[in-house]
Every structure is written in structure tokens, then in C-alpha cells.
Amino acid sequence: MNKIIFFLPYLDMEKVVMRTFVEQNQSDTEWQLETILKLGTQQLDKVTIQGDVVIARGGTYRKLKKCLHTAPVTELLISGYDIMRTVLACKKKFNTNRIAFLGTRSMVYGAQNISQIIPVQVIAKEVYEENETRNSLIALQNQGIDTMIGGVTSTRIAAELGMNALRIDSGQEAIYQAIAEAKQMFKIYQQERERTEIFRTILDYTSDGIVAINTDNRILLINHEASNITGISSQVTGRRIETVLPQIKLQNTLGKRQPAFNEIIQLNDQDITMNSIPMQVENQPIGAIATFQPILKVQNLGNEIRRKKSKRGHVAKFTFDDILGNSVSIRQTIHLAKQYSKTDANILITGETGTGKELFAQSIHNASNRFREPFVALNCAVLSENLLESELFGYVEGAFTDARKGGKSGLFEAAHNGTLFLDEISEISPRMQGILLRVLQEHEIMRVGDDRIIPVNVRIIVATNRKLLQMSQNGEFRLDLYYRLDTLHLMLPPLRERNQDVLIIFCHFLKVIYNKKGIIWKGMTYEAEKCLLAERWPGNIRELYNIAERVAVFTKGEKLDVDDLNVALRGRGDFSPIPAQKITEGIEEHISDIDDRTLRAALEQTHYHYGKTAVLLGISRTTLWRRLRCLKNNT
């Protein structure tokens, strides 16, 4: 609830003030009113107002307007009706045609015009201080005027001097208007305060230093950041810009009325980038404003943004749904990986190059309870020992030559609460093996060059295409670290052991590649399928994708035949054309891989739709028919 503080010039006014307030606020419950009897000038200097808006009259209003800064002050005006009523009462009471009227300008303004309505001479005198009032009354007495009208103070002094005196009272109309104006003033005051607060917050929390001057080159404002950059207090407002910050030269911008952007200046041994803009209202200059920042800060901000964007990039993109294939081996591997995802234990993923070790690592992360946290991946084989250590654990400022100012956090910290995937773990040095072992045991790290211990909560998944146990037995890899890493073991089958998945994966790759180009792929011939299935794929899925990329270059979406495929396969170093007999042998070998139980299950799953069954098994329709004949002959 908002409160009006009403300073009463005299106690008799309280009843009419309260009655007027009640009448005006019959349907308004947001306001309350408190009255205070007029205080002396010295008391007003020390008064504490516990209200939202103040109403006062005469000298009290004038004093409060100067000394009160916590609430707006509204003046209780003397209306023409109040003056007329009081003059008539004074003429009747004292039987005189010459009356002095003393008060502030707003009280006596227009009082002389009363003589045009009432046959009486009114002598108006502006007075503000008590001594000034006394002297004016004595001067009026010397002129033969013995009757006066005024406020509480002036009528008291007049009585002391032996003059006839009548106090002018504010009528209900003036009180009603003052209360209404007070409410409106408070509303405007609130709006202005909100705008000022928004403006002040913008100024103080912007990353730019801001200085503004008026047309006299005097500083209007200087925000916190400008004070930080320049070392100059914000108390310099009012001083000339050239005496405080001569480097900024805002007076030149004001004189030329032209903005200047991206200027480089020297300020406190810093390189500063600055924009300066003239301020105008209706094409008339009112001042100029400069915004500036240290160049080093701008550069560091850009670096910080890049680091944060990089951190946001620590995301696992793939799930188990992205792993293609219907072979028993890949289904079993996926099932086991899903079980592993339910725990936080370390996982060792082994498999030949190109079998999709990181694909499985990302899928495990996304199926785990850490899926909302970072997934950070690093190939250990591409970094030297020192670089690997600083990447994994970070470093402090001055840890080594060219160390970043302020230091740098490592990947263990970046992966906190998430997953850290270390590929080609077999390639790390013996020293790094020892450091990594301790981290796995203690769940703590130290940045390079630091002695502060940082606890980390990270799930570790490592991968290798080498036989890590054999390396440990040969002394190439720490056996204790091997057992730490091999808590859970996931072995990925090579593509040659899941031959029925080759067509599924290859077709998927080609569709994705062509979709990016807006081309609809028309499939492949049976001979091309046989050629593809006869390959051994030593590079596994990665190699298969490369062949799909080559095929897409020159087939342009047309149906893929065996000649096109052979052209793509020639890009491999170990390629030699495959004899037709060898292709048939490869197909027959693949057909024999499909046991009767799997075949019957596939038929039931597709409701004996041979086309869908062939796709599900990763074979052509012709191959399916041949296998069905074998099944029939066997039964």
C-alpha cells in the first residue's frame, strides 16, 4: 500500500484533509494518508519521511523540495477561490479597503487582480524567510497598512507587530486537487525511477566503458567500467572532459557532429578501441558519448566464447539406433553394450580399425544416466606425451613456455560427471600409464605445474585395435592399468564376420550420401551385390563407407552395377579383379552362414514377404530363393 504524507500548515486543517481523502478514495484501497503538523525549518532539514509522496504548502513545500530526495513533493496551492474568500472575510472583519497579502509566489500570484472583482486594494508581497517577512510587515505599517493576510508564520509575526491579521486557509477543492496530483506525481515518479534504474543497470553492467559530455564539454556520466578502465572516479561529473580524459577527445566529436568508429587510442598503457557519437535532439547538439574497451579484453572475450562453444561441443551424437546390422554377432554386441551402459564401471572396447569403437562409446554414454553430461573424446596416438598430459589434466599459468595466461582446464575437468573416451589407449607412454592409473584409483587430478588436487567424477571408456593383454605380458603396457581398464570388455566383430550386414550398411551409406545431394538412389544390380559380398573388408565399416563415397562420385544416383563397383574398388591398394567363380563361392559361403532357424525367424517376422526378408537378412532376392531351395531339399 502506498502512503501520502500531508504536512498540515495548521492543525485545524486535519479534519478537512481526512474527509477529502476518504471521499476521494472510496473505491481506491491502494493508498493511505498520514498527517504531520508543520515543522520548523531546522527540523525539516533532519526529517525522515516514511512515505511515498509528500504534500506541503508555502515555505514548508519550498524547503522540502530542496532537502527531500527520497520521495516526490507536491505543493498544496492557494486557489483563487481561497484568496477571494479570505479577502472578503478580512474586509468584513476589519472594515478596511487596503489589505496586504504576504506569502510565496505561488500563494500571492494573481492576488492584485482581486480588486477587479472586489472593491478593495490588495498589496501582494513575496516573502520566504522569517526575517524577510518581519521587515516587509514593518515597511507596510510605515505605509499606513495595518491589515494583512498570510500563512501561519506571517500572521503570527503580524500579530506580534500589532497588525490585524487573518490566516488564509486552503479549501477542500485545493486539498482534493493536491491529493489527486500527489497520486499522479507518484505514478510518474515510479515510471521515471524504473526507467532510471534500467538505464543505470545497463550503464553499469555493460562490458563497455561509457563517458558522456554536454555541449559545454562537461562530463555528464561515467559508468563503472569506464572508471575501471581509466582509473578515474565517477565523481568527476561536472568537470571538463579535456582536464580529466584528454585522450578521448569527445569535444572533437561534438564539434564535428560526426561519429567515429573503431579508433585506437592509448589509455593508461592500454590499447583501447573506441567509438564516439554526437548526441542530437531535433538536429540540435546536446552532447557526445564515447564507448570503449581494452583491445586485450576484446580478444580474450573472443577466446572465451570459442572455449565455451568448444565445451558445448562435447556431446555424444550417436545412439544404439545408429548401429546398423541384423547379424547375430552385432545384435549380441549391442545387447552387451546396453547392459554395460547401466553401470559406471570402466569399459575396454577392442576391435579392428573401422569397426565403430567410438560409435559404441557414444551409444553407451547416451544410454547411461550420464547422458545429459559431457562426452569428451581424445585420440591418444596423435599427441606427444607432454601435450597429452596437458590436454588431459590441464595446466596452470607459467607451467611451461607458451602456457596460456590464467592456465587451462583439461579434458578430465571438461568431462566431469560425464564420460571420457580415450581412443588408441595402447599408444600412451609408460609414464602416462602410471599417471592415468593413479587417476583411476583416486578419482583426482592435478593440473600440470600445480599442487592443488581437483576431484573428478568421470566414467572412462577406452579403445584399442591391439591386443592389450598380450602387450601387458610383453611389458609394453602396465598390467595393473590393463586390469583397471578392462573392468568391462566389449569386443566388436569385424565386418567379415557379419557379412549379411554389408548390404544393409552399404545401402544406408549411399542413401545418406545421395540424400545430401538431393538425389534418389535407384539401387544396385544383383551382380554388384555379389561382388560386394565377396569382399573381405579389412578396413571394415570405415572402408565400406569410403567405397560408398567413391561410388557416389561417378554413378550420380543411377543403378549401381558391378562395373561401377569394380571401378570404386580399384582405389584400394590390394585390389585385384574378382573372378566370377570366386564371387559365387563367396555368396555360397555367406548363404551357408544363414542357419535354418534364422531364415525361418526372418520369414515369420516379415510375414513371408520375400523382398522384406531379403533386406532383413542382408541378401538379394535371388540369394534368398537359392537358400530357400536348399532349405526345401534338406527337409
Side-chain angles (χ1 to χ4, degrees):
M1 184 175 289
N2 304 316
K3 181 189 286 188
I4 298 173
I5 303 295
F6 202 117
F7 278 84
L8 302 172
Y10 47 88
L11 188 59
D12 298 348
M13 184 186 281
E14 184 173 25
K15 289 183 180 180
V16 67
V17 167
M18 296 304 297
R19 184 173 66 250
T20 305
F21 177 77
V22 171
E23 290 176 2
Q24 190 185 95
N25 288 268
Q26 288 179 355
S27 60
D28 188 352
T29 59
E30 295 182 3
W31 288 91
Q32 61 180 1
L33 184 136
E34 178 183 329
T35 58
I36 300 176
L37 190 60
K38 188 189 83 167
L39 303 171
T41 302
Q42 293 182 347
Q43 291 174 292
L44 285 175
D45 287 334
K46 302 174 182 178
V47 68
T48 301
I49 300 299
Q50 301 294 327
D52 299 294
V53 62
V54 175
I55 299 174
R57 193 181 85 165
T60 303
Y61 164 78
R62 185 169 172 270
K63 184 65 178 180
L64 287 173
K65 193 73 175 175
K66 289 182 178 180
C67 69
L68 185 62
H69 305 293
T70 57
V73 184
T74 301
E75 184 175 11
L76 174 60
L77 295 172
I78 302 295
S79 69
Y81 177 76
D82 294 334
I83 297 173
M84 190 183 305
R85 185 185 65 238
T86 309
V87 168
L88 285 172
C90 190
K91 175 180 170 63
K92 182 178 180 180
K93 182 176 181 178
F94 299 113
N95 192 24
T96 181
N97 289 324
R98 297 182 71 200
I99 301 171
F101 187 4
L102 275 69
T104 61
R105 174 182 288 267
S106 61
M107 291 176 67
V108 304
Y109 182 77
Q112 287 123 325
N113 296 329
I114 293 294
S115 58
Q116 298 176 9
I117 304 171
I118 304 171
V120 65
Q121 181 185 6
V122 177
I123 300 95
K125 289 285 186 180
E126 288 184 29
V127 292
Y128 296 96
E129 302 297 336
E130 188 168 318
N131 290 336
E132 187 180 359
T133 301
R134 185 176 295 276
N135 292 335
S136 295
L137 288 171
I138 292 172
L140 288 167
Q141 278 184 314
N142 294 335
Q143 296 174 28
I145 300 172
D146 61 357
T147 303
M148 62 84 62
I149 296 171
V152 174
T153 301
S154 59
T155 54
R156 173 180 57 80
I157 296 171
E160 292 173 358
L161 294 173
M163 296 179 70
N164 299 322
L166 188 64
R167 185 186 69 203
I168 185 167
D169 293 344
S170 296
Q172 187 171 358
E173 301 86 357
I175 294 170
Y176 186 97
Q177 185 63 31
I179 293 174
E181 278 194 28
K183 292 178 181 179
Q184 184 63 23
M185 178 176 282
F186 174 73
K187 183 178 179 180
I188 295 170
Y189 176 77
Q190 283 289 85
Q191 292 172 345
E192 287 299 319
R193 191 162 63 175
E194 288 173 7
R195 280 195 286 266
T196 301
E197 182 61 24
I198 291 170
F199 183 60
R200 187 190 66 78
T201 303
I202 291 171
L203 284 179
D204 287 343
Y205 289 93
T206 183
S207 57
D208 287 348
I210 299 176
V211 174
I213 62 170
N214 61 15
T215 52
D216 294 329
N217 297 335
R218 296 191 181 277
I219 297 174
L220 293 173
L221 66 88
I222 175 169
N223 72 341
H224 286 338
E225 188 62 22
S227 294
N228 293 337
I229 295 170
T230 62
I232 294 172
S233 166
S234 59
Q235 303 301 316
V236 297
T237 51
R239 294 176 58 182
R240 297 182 68 86
I241 186 73
E242 60 269 25
T243 64
V244 179
L245 290 169
Q247 305 94 327
I248 292 182
K249 298 181 181 178
L250 262 181
Q251 61 272 24
N252 294 347
T253 303
L254 182 62
K256 294 177 181 178
R257 299 194 190 182
Q258 292 293 326
F261 300 104
N262 300 319
E263 290 184 304
I264 307 298
I265 64 171
Q266 276 278 330
L267 189 60
N268 290 349
D269 298 324
Q270 299 180 85
D271 288 328
I272 303 293
T273 176
M274 183 181 75
N275 299 326
S276 53
I277 305 99
M279 297 186 293
Q280 300 181 98
V281 174
E282 297 181 351
N283 294 325
Q284 294 300 313
I286 61 169
I289 188 167
T291 63
F292 47 90
Q293 273 192 340
I295 292 176
L296 182 60
K297 180 181 177 181
V298 176
Q299 293 171 339
N300 290 339
L301 180 61
N303 294 334
E304 182 64 21
I305 291 172
R306 284 192 289 272
R307 282 197 293 273
K308 288 184 177 180
K309 288 179 69 176
S310 173
K311 187 172 183 179
R312 289 201 300 268
H314 292 318
V315 176
K317 301 175 183 177
F318 299 107
T319 68
F320 287 116
D321 292 336
D322 295 303
I323 302 173
L324 303 175
N326 292 314
S327 63
V328 174
S329 58
I330 198 64
R331 293 294 110 196
Q332 288 177 342
T333 307
I334 291 173
H335 175 74
L336 186 59
K338 286 181 177 179
Q339 296 299 112
Y340 289 173
S341 69
K342 298 175 183 178
T343 76
D344 278 338
N346 300 331
I347 301 175
L348 171 62
I349 302 177
T350 59
E352 297 178 4
T353 297
T355 50
K357 293 185 283 293
E358 184 167 354
L359 177 62
F360 268 88
Q362 290 192 24
S363 300
I364 291 169
H365 172 81
N366 276 331
S368 72
N369 58 7
R370 296 174 180 259
F371 73 98
R372 298 184 188 276
E373 302 299 335
F375 175 88
V376 181
L378 178 68
N379 189 322
C380 299
V382 300
L383 299 176
S384 66
E385 178 183 300
N386 291 336
L387 280 177
L388 180 61
E389 184 177 10
S390 63
E391 279 297 306
L392 285 176
F393 308 116
Y395 55 82
V396 295
E397 183 177 340
F400 49 83
T401 305
D402 297 328
R404 179 188 298 167
K405 186 176 181 180
K408 176 180 176 291
S409 60
L411 295 185
F412 266 97
E413 291 178 69
H416 184 62
N417 291 328
T419 302
L420 178 61
F421 173 62
L422 301 176
D423 198 7
E424 299 198 55
I425 191 67
S426 56
E427 306 309 308
I428 65 174
S429 67
R431 175 175 169 273
M432 281 301 301
Q433 292 174 30
I435 296 173
L436 184 58
L437 176 63
R438 179 167 180 81
V439 172
L440 296 179
Q441 289 173 337
E442 305 297 333
H443 304 287
E444 297 172 342
I445 65 163
M446 283 195 301
R447 292 185 180 183
V448 176
D450 199 6
D451 57 1
R452 183 171 64 93
I453 293 175
I454 302 173
V456 288
N457 173 20
V458 178
R459 202 252 181 96
I460 303 294
I461 301 178
V462 298
T464 181
N465 59 4
R466 299 180 65 183
K467 296 179 180 179
L468 214 56
L469 179 58
Q470 184 177 331
M471 290 179 64
S472 299
Q473 292 169 344
N474 294 337
E476 300 175 59
F477 197 87
R478 291 184 63 134
L479 191 60
D480 48 2
L481 177 58
Y482 167 76
Y483 286 123
R484 277 281 177 184
L485 296 174
D486 195 30
T487 307
L488 301 175
H489 195 148
L490 191 67
M491 183 177 293
L492 305 189
L495 198 53
R496 64 180 174 274
E497 293 180 7
R498 40 185 295 216
N499 204 26
Q500 69 186 88
D501 295 334
V502 170
L503 286 178
I504 297 174
I505 299 171
F506 186 76
C507 292
H508 171 78
F509 286 160
L510 275 179
K511 287 177 183 176
V512 170
I513 293 167
Y514 281 125
N515 281 343
K516 290 179 181 178
K517 300 178 181 180
I519 300 173
I520 299 175
W521 183 48
K522 297 179 181 178
M524 58 195 300
T525 65
Y526 172 60
E527 289 75 16
E529 290 180 1
K530 290 194 295 182
C531 180
L532 203 65
L533 291 171
E535 288 294 315
R536 300 290 291 172
W537 305 111
N540 294 292
I541 297 171
R542 188 178 295 125
E543 183 184 13
L544 187 63
Y545 181 81
N546 291 341
I547 297 301
E549 285 272 24
R550 291 177 199 162
V551 165
V553 170
F554 51 81
T555 61
K556 299 180 180 179
E558 297 297 327
K559 196 166 188 177
L560 176 63
D561 61 29
V562 69
D563 292 333
D564 293 331
L565 186 59
N566 276 324
V567 170
L569 290 170
R570 284 195 189 99
R572 299 188 301 175
D574 61 345
F575 173 77
S576 59
I578 302 172
Q581 181 183 359
K582 183 65 177 174
I583 292 175
T584 304
E585 290 174 1
I587 292 296
E588 295 300 331
E589 178 184 349
H590 174 54
I591 290 171
S592 63
D593 286 344
I594 305 174
D595 57 45
D596 295 347
R597 184 177 178 182
T598 302
L599 182 57
R600 287 193 177 94
L603 287 167
E604 290 175 1
Q605 185 175 341
T606 60
H607 302 289
Y608 289 86
H609 187 294
Y610 294 147
K612 293 181 179 179
T613 302
V615 172
L616 184 62
L617 293 173
I619 59 178
S620 67
R621 281 174 172 267
T622 306
T623 303
L624 176 61
W625 281 109
R626 188 180 297 113
R627 186 65 187 86
L628 288 172
R629 283 198 298 272
C630 294
L631 179 62
K632 184 177 180 181
N633 292 335
N634 290 337
T635 57

